[in-house]
Amino acid sequence: MRIIFTLFLLCAGLLAQAGMINGHITNQSGEPLAFASVYIMGTTMGTASNPEGYFELELPDGAYELVFQYVGYKQHHENILVGKELLSLNIVMEDEQVSLDEVVISADAEDPAYRIIRNAIRMRKYYLRQVDNYKCEAYTKGIFRVTEAPDKIFGDSLNTKEDSILGIVYLSESESIISYEQPDKFKEEMISVKVSGNDQGFGFNFITFFMVNFYNNNIIIPVDASERGFISPIGSSAMFYYKYRLEGTYFEEDYMVNKIKVIPKRNIDPVFGGYIYIIEDSWRIHSLDLMISKDANIDFIDSVKIAKSMVPVNDSIWMPLTQKLQFFFSINFFGKRFAGNGIFHSQFTDYIFNNEFERKYFGNEIVRANEDANKKDSLYWAENRPIPLTAEEQRNYLKEDSLQDLRSSKEYLDSLDRKRNKIKWGALLSGYSYYRRHDSTRYSINSPLTTVNFNTVQGVNLYLRTGFSKSFSNGDRFTISQNVSYGFSNVRWGYGLNSRYYYNRNKSANIRLRGGIGPVQYNASNPISPFVNTFYTLLDGNNYMKIYEKSWVGVSHFSELINGIFFMAGIEYAGRSALVNTTDYSWVKSSKNRFTSNDPQHPLNKGPAFSWNKSLTIDLAFRIRIRQKYMSIPNKSIIGSKYPDLVISYKKGIDGFLGSNVDYDLLKIGIEGKQKLGLLGTLQFKGTYGTFLNNRKMEFMDYKHFNGNRTIFARYRLNSFQMLDYYTHSTNKNYVEVCAEHHFNGFIFNKLPLIRKAKWKAVGGFRYFTSEFTNNYFEVSAGIENIFTVFRIDFVAGYDAGKNVRTGIVIGMKMDN
């Protein structure tokens, strides 16, 4: 009957004139009910109230039964007759009248809620897979607010009469068409979007990432940085994590709804608390009102609330009508407190089932914004916005849109730059940047603290780096960095240039030119930083960094050929000469000095490690990412793939041409990726097989060097070995390298109160390589990450040929691999 009624309404809408209904929804205390659902009985045609409780709905002339629904309140029905005159309604919703009259619970009996939940768990997979496919329309409003902020920070005013960061800092609305097909095909077409104060923006209102389905076992919350997810109250393992209590039952139409309180057994687990409503006999979700507290160790935010309402769209299928995702945050930054909240409210209408999608309808593009999506004017939104704006939202649109031209003017941007470009004490640590925002230009110079270093080849040496970048209106960008170096002991100047032009953002294309003359490490991955080497040379008597002089020029090009297939090609021409130690100065007594020569292969050789030579090389590399998902908003933005990347590279040393003295061929084949394992955390892995097809003429810097470390300071890259000598195992033979790290994301430390409060997380690692399958080395590690958000500490044990060669503790800053 509902299908027939829906078709009748749609047909009638084509023939009848439209009438307007508006009104105000409150509870019995007169308090407005924000985002209450308003829809026509038997359909998903409707709207929702705004945060002040007001709603508007345009319908063809005729008689209707309106349903008003809000989690925690009794469903309200209103029969109306729509005509030419404006119809205004004042709706007072009553608290839900739950009853336990028909439920008998003895003192030693199990709460009846468990029977209901077991049935809901049993039916979970059925409802998850019930709908083969659907298509619907969605409206989403996103609002961020700052509710507390200091007046000043670092000397800059944040709250003044003229300008304040308090209040709404982000306001956006969007309309999308959502398509879904089992088991995991999803597509979102954004047809309109409005961002306050930015008529070129597309906002963050992507249903693709905010849609939450509690029929899944593991629930990913988009505003939480943790990747482990949270356990659904009706997930297959829910009984291990939750207690349940039946609060009562009530009737809607001809079905009985059970109100069940969801209680975490342990607040420290990744779980929800609140209420879930289950329909008797069918055991489907009616609605829910759940919360994740700070005790669950969510990242960056204090708590999250999720409210969701389901409605029948035909005699057997219920679908989401509304979803409200709300989050709250508070942070202390250098003693200054910031607090605020955000909300994403989504409303779903006009479901269509059993669609005959074309074979390639669902592809790797999961979100697309139409070219005119952000070009809709205020008249369009006045006519199509389903939820009326509040007075605060109207003021925000009016203010931000009127200030948009001012904020993009040269005078305004220059005024910001004058304040931003003042030299402050922080420049000593981070360096200094000079901005010219009106033409998107930036100049920079590195920190004085990183300018002076020391090594046994150059002695005291200066390294000054400057940078320049410029962005263009078409999205292209040009960057250039230059460095000048000077060694006081070996009396040699150095210069380096690295420039890159980024173009065609949809292909991630760039062309790179670099060159110069100066000292470089034998391992081009730079396993030890100049600063750490300075520290160990002067204070520990170890000169770990080994360098030679390189004069070179190189050019390369990178681009995505087709979706998921990336290609890089490069050529480099270089002259290379050996450098020797010129000083043995140290703050350590000479008896404890452990300096070695600058020859990484022969530590006792004080002479040149090799003869001057030339090298001409070409590099080719492919990265293949199967089923790479991406968004077009409107430029391409890569999301990633659930499959690992396949990486194939080839490097050729060319002998004879332009005086080149090298002749070798290196082929590498590898896989790398990240696997999310739900509550257990995230596994990162990388494996490479390398073979020198030809190694007739090579110098040591052309070898494969494994990233070693002999200091307490770690460089946390996935393929970094923390207990390995820098060059002992370098090879020009076949080799295999396997590295893996597992980030537990709270799975272990969540059980320990003090560590949980600090949000520390456990991490474990394994690294292995072999050359010619005879030289075997591996490391195992266990550590703690997220210390003060960015730091990490590990205990590492290294084994060579099965024998423990070194154990130790390393510390460093967490890095993305």
Side-chain angles (χ1 to χ4, degrees):
M1 290 296 294
R2 288 192 175 100
I3 296 176
I4 296 174
F5 182 60
T6 301
L7 292 174
F8 170 77
L9 288 176
L10 293 174
C11 293
L14 297 175
L15 301 174
Q17 294 181 341
M20 179 63 71
I21 309 162
N22 65 19
H24 194 218
I25 306 173
T26 63
N27 60 18
Q28 291 172 301
S29 300
E31 298 169 336
L33 296 181
F35 302 112
S37 300
V38 183
Y39 64 96
I40 300 171
M41 181 71 175
T43 77
T44 55
M45 295 171 59
T47 184
S49 61
N50 69 14
E52 296 173 345
Y54 291 99
F55 72 93
E56 293 177 352
L57 182 62
E58 189 175 23
L59 291 173
D61 291 356
Y64 301 93
E65 182 180 354
L66 283 185
V67 181
F68 298 82
Q69 184 169 304
Y70 195 88
V71 177
Y73 289 83
K74 183 179 178 182
Q75 198 177 74
H76 181 92
H77 292 250
E78 193 84 15
N79 291 304
I80 62 170
L81 184 64
V82 177
K84 296 180 181 179
E85 300 294 327
L86 174 66
L87 179 62
S88 295
L89 302 172
N90 288 312
I91 305 300
V92 178
M93 298 192 69
E94 301 176 5
D95 292 343
E96 60 190 10
Q97 301 297 316
V98 297
S99 172
L100 284 171
D101 294 344
E102 299 178 9
V103 181
V104 179
I105 307 175
S106 60
D108 58 347
E110 179 183 70
D111 192 287
Y114 286 87
R115 172 189 65 86
I116 299 166
I117 292 295
R118 286 193 188 96
N119 280 306
I121 292 173
R122 176 175 56 84
M123 295 297 293
R124 180 190 66 83
K125 284 187 179 180
Y126 172 77
Y127 290 125
L128 183 64
R129 301 170 181 170
Q130 182 184 19
V131 176
D132 290 331
N133 68 59
Y134 69 82
K135 202 170 187 177
C136 73
E137 296 180 8
Y139 166 84
T140 297
K141 178 185 287 186
I143 307 173
F144 295 170
R145 286 185 176 87
V146 174
T147 57
E148 184 178 346
D151 291 333
K152 286 186 176 182
I153 187 166
F154 299 137
D156 292 332
S157 297
L158 297 179
N159 295 310
T160 63
K161 263 189 175 182
E162 295 77 18
D163 195 15
S164 173
I165 67 167
L166 295 176
I168 295 177
V169 294
Y170 169 81
L171 172 61
S172 179
E173 303 171 90
S174 65
E175 295 177 305
S176 298
I177 297 174
I178 308 300
S179 303
Y180 173 81
E181 187 172 76
Q182 292 282 2
D184 58 0
K185 296 177 181 178
F186 202 93
K187 183 175 181 178
E188 177 178 355
E189 180 186 0
M190 182 178 281
I191 57 176
S192 61
V193 60
K194 180 175 177 63
V195 181
S196 181
N198 184 2
D199 59 13
Q200 299 299 311
F202 289 87
F204 313 107
N205 302 353
F206 304 118
I207 301 294
T208 302
F209 306 110
F210 288 98
M211 193 79 157
V212 179
N213 187 346
F214 279 80
Y215 288 122
N216 285 315
N217 280 318
N218 200 40
I219 309 298
I220 302 297
I221 304 300
V223 294
D224 175 37
S226 170
E227 297 178 317
R228 61 180 177 158
F230 296 83
I231 299 161
S232 169
I234 60 168
S236 57
S237 62
M239 290 290 183
F240 295 105
Y241 294 90
Y242 294 102
K243 295 184 289 185
Y244 303 92
R245 185 171 71 232
L246 180 62
E247 298 287 289
T249 63
Y250 63 92
F251 284 88
E252 280 187 1
E253 300 181 48
D254 56 351
Y255 47 83
M256 185 171 77
V257 181
N258 298 287
K259 179 182 180 181
I260 297 172
K261 187 167 186 178
V262 177
I263 307 166
K265 287 185 176 180
R266 297 167 297 274
N267 289 330
I268 60 176
D269 288 332
V271 291
F272 300 89
Y275 296 93
I276 188 169
Y277 298 77
I278 304 293
I279 297 176
E280 187 75 16
D281 295 330
S282 66
W283 316 117
R284 69 172 84 241
I285 296 174
H286 171 276
S287 55
L288 54 87
D289 188 5
L290 298 171
M291 179 177 179
I292 304 169
S293 71
K294 195 169 186 176
D295 291 333
N297 210 24
I298 46 183
D299 287 337
F300 303 122
I301 50 179
D302 294 338
S303 60
V304 181
K305 289 183 177 180
I306 302 177
K308 197 177 183 83
S309 294
M310 311 283 284
V311 295
V313 292
N314 58 37
D315 292 335
S316 62
I317 297 174
W318 288 53
M319 295 296 289
L321 178 66
T322 61
Q323 176 183 287
K324 182 173 68 173
L325 179 67
Q326 194 170 9
F327 61 92
F328 303 84
F329 70 88
S330 62
I331 57 173
N332 286 294
F333 186 69
F334 289 97
K336 306 291 187 179
R337 177 177 166 82
F338 293 81
N341 59 73
I343 184 170
F344 286 93
H345 173 81
S346 300
Q347 182 170 329
F348 308 94
T349 60
D350 299 335
Y351 283 96
I352 302 174
F353 303 102
N354 301 319
N355 299 273
E356 294 184 2
F357 294 119
E358 296 178 2
R359 188 171 65 88
K360 294 185 178 181
Y361 180 81
F362 292 98
N364 293 313
E365 183 187 60
I366 61 174
V367 178
R368 167 173 285 276
N370 290 348
E371 289 186 5
D372 64 342
N374 59 357
K375 303 296 189 295
K376 305 295 172 52
D377 58 20
S378 57
L379 180 61
Y380 171 89
W381 283 102
E383 294 176 347
N384 290 275
R385 177 183 291 118
I387 301 176
L389 297 174
T390 64
E392 181 189 22
E393 291 165 356
Q394 291 177 14
R395 289 194 299 271
N396 183 267
Y397 271 137
L398 183 63
K399 174 187 173 184
E400 297 299 321
D401 291 351
S402 63
L403 290 176
Q404 181 175 334
D405 289 340
L406 171 65
R407 288 173 174 167
S408 60
S409 68
K410 183 179 184 300
E411 293 77 11
Y412 179 80
L413 294 175
D414 286 348
S415 69
L416 294 179
D417 288 338
R418 282 193 293 272
K419 185 183 294 185
R420 172 66 178 80
N421 291 334
K422 290 179 180 178
I423 300 177
K424 301 177 182 178
W425 287 107
L428 290 173
L429 296 174
S430 60
Y432 173 74
S433 293
Y434 179 88
Y435 291 86
R436 212 168 61 203
R437 304 186 202 206
H438 73 270
D439 62 355
S440 303
T441 302
R442 175 177 176 262
Y443 303 87
S444 64
I445 187 169
N446 64 314
S447 165
L449 297 180
T450 62
T451 299
V452 182
N453 288 293
F454 182 86
N455 61 62
T456 54
V457 174
Q458 298 172 286
V460 175
N461 60 89
L462 302 180
Y463 182 87
L464 181 66
R465 186 179 68 248
T466 62
F468 168 83
S469 67
K470 180 173 177 58
S471 298
F472 301 93
S473 58
N474 63 354
D476 292 359
R477 186 163 61 95
F478 175 67
T479 66
I480 183 170
S481 65
Q482 302 177 83
N483 65 77
V484 177
S485 62
Y486 180 73
F488 284 89
S489 183
N490 69 343
V491 197
R492 294 190 68 86
W493 287 91
Y495 172 79
L497 178 144
N498 187 351
S499 63
R500 188 173 293 188
Y501 185 77
Y502 300 85
Y503 69 100
N504 194 348
R505 292 170 60 184
N506 288 324
K507 294 292 186 181
S508 302
N510 67 79
I511 186 167
R512 183 182 187 187
L513 173 67
R514 52 185 182 153
I517 180 172
V520 298
Q521 295 188 46
Y522 280 85
N523 182 350
S525 296
N526 298 321
I528 184 170
S529 72
F531 175 79
V532 172
N533 183 72
T534 299
F535 181 89
Y536 269 81
T537 302
L538 294 176
L539 297 177
D540 191 55
N542 279 299
N543 57 338
Y544 290 125
M545 190 168 71
K546 306 302 176 186
I547 56 179
Y548 67 98
E549 187 172 81
K550 179 179 179 181
S551 53
W552 82 104
V553 61
V555 63
S556 63
H557 182 266
F558 176 88
S559 179
E560 185 177 27
L561 303 180
I562 60 174
N563 181 54
I565 298 182
F566 302 86
F567 177 66
M568 187 281 296
I571 184 168
E572 180 185 275
Y573 181 63
R576 305 176 298 188
S577 59
L579 298 173
V580 297
N581 289 342
T582 61
T583 179
D584 59 359
Y585 178 79
S586 176
W587 296 340
V588 176
K589 292 180 180 180
S590 58
S591 60
K592 296 183 179 180
N593 192 309
R594 296 179 292 275
F595 287 164
T596 58
S597 75
N598 193 45
D599 184 344
Q601 290 180 289
H602 306 98
L604 299 179
N605 174 31
K606 295 182 179 181
F610 60 91
S611 300
W612 184 83
N613 64 82
K614 294 180 181 179
S615 168
L616 178 64
T617 58
I618 59 170
D619 284 276
L620 304 173
F622 282 95
R623 179 178 292 270
I624 302 170
R625 186 172 295 149
I626 300 172
R627 295 185 181 179
Q628 173 183 272
K629 304 301 181 183
Y630 65 94
M631 303 188 298
S632 300
I633 50 172
N635 294 305
K636 185 174 183 177
S637 177
I638 295 172
I639 298 171
S641 172
K642 63 180 180 180
Y643 301 101
D645 291 1
L646 173 64
V647 182
I648 303 171
S649 66
Y650 171 72
K651 185 170 187 176
K652 171 65 178 174
I654 302 173
D655 185 27
F657 189 67
L658 296 178
S660 175
N661 308 118
V662 295
D663 183 7
Y664 64 91
D665 299 85
L666 172 60
L667 175 67
K668 294 191 289 186
I669 302 174
I671 59 168
E672 54 188 75
K674 179 188 290 187
Q675 186 66 45
K676 297 178 182 179
L677 301 176
L679 301 179
L680 296 178
T682 303
L683 175 68
Q684 287 181 284
F685 56 90
K686 181 177 184 178
T688 304
Y689 170 72
T691 177
F692 284 88
L693 304 174
N694 154 38
N695 60 3
R696 283 187 288 269
K697 296 175 69 173
M698 299 181 68
E699 296 294 342
F700 188 65
M701 66 284 293
D702 301 319
Y703 282 37
K704 162 63 183 178
H705 304 291
F706 301 98
N707 293 323
N709 181 35
R710 292 297 309 276
T711 76
I712 195 175
F713 302 109
R715 305 196 93 174
Y716 284 118
R717 295 176 287 197
L718 189 58
N719 62 344
S720 290
F721 294 82
Q722 305 300 344
M723 294 292 136
L724 179 69
D725 288 330
Y726 293 99
Y727 295 105
T728 301
H729 296 276
S730 300
T731 182
N732 63 352
K733 309 291 184 182
N734 299 342
Y735 68 91
V736 173
E737 183 178 22
V738 178
C739 303
E741 275 191 350
H742 188 77
H743 302 267
F744 288 91
N745 296 340
F747 180 73
I748 295 178
F749 287 162
N750 233 24
K751 315 298 187 292
L752 307 174
L754 293 178
I755 295 180
R756 181 184 74 248
K757 188 174 182 180
K759 295 192 175 181
W760 293 357
K761 298 177 181 179
V763 58
F766 174 82
R767 291 166 177 83
Y768 165 84
F769 70 79
T770 180
S771 177
E772 292 284 284
F773 299 98
T774 57
N775 182 9
N776 296 285
Y777 177 89
F778 73 91
E779 287 182 357
V780 291
S781 63
I784 303 171
E785 61 182 344
N786 209 47
I787 302 172
F788 302 114
T789 305
V790 297
F791 292 102
R792 172 175 162 178
I793 183 169
D794 284 78
F795 175 79
V796 187
Y799 297 85
D800 194 351
K803 296 180 181 179
N804 178 241
V805 291
R806 194 173 291 114
T807 58
I809 292 174
V810 295
I811 59 176
M813 296 183 68
K814 179 182 176 182
M815 296 178 62
D816 293 328
N817 297 286

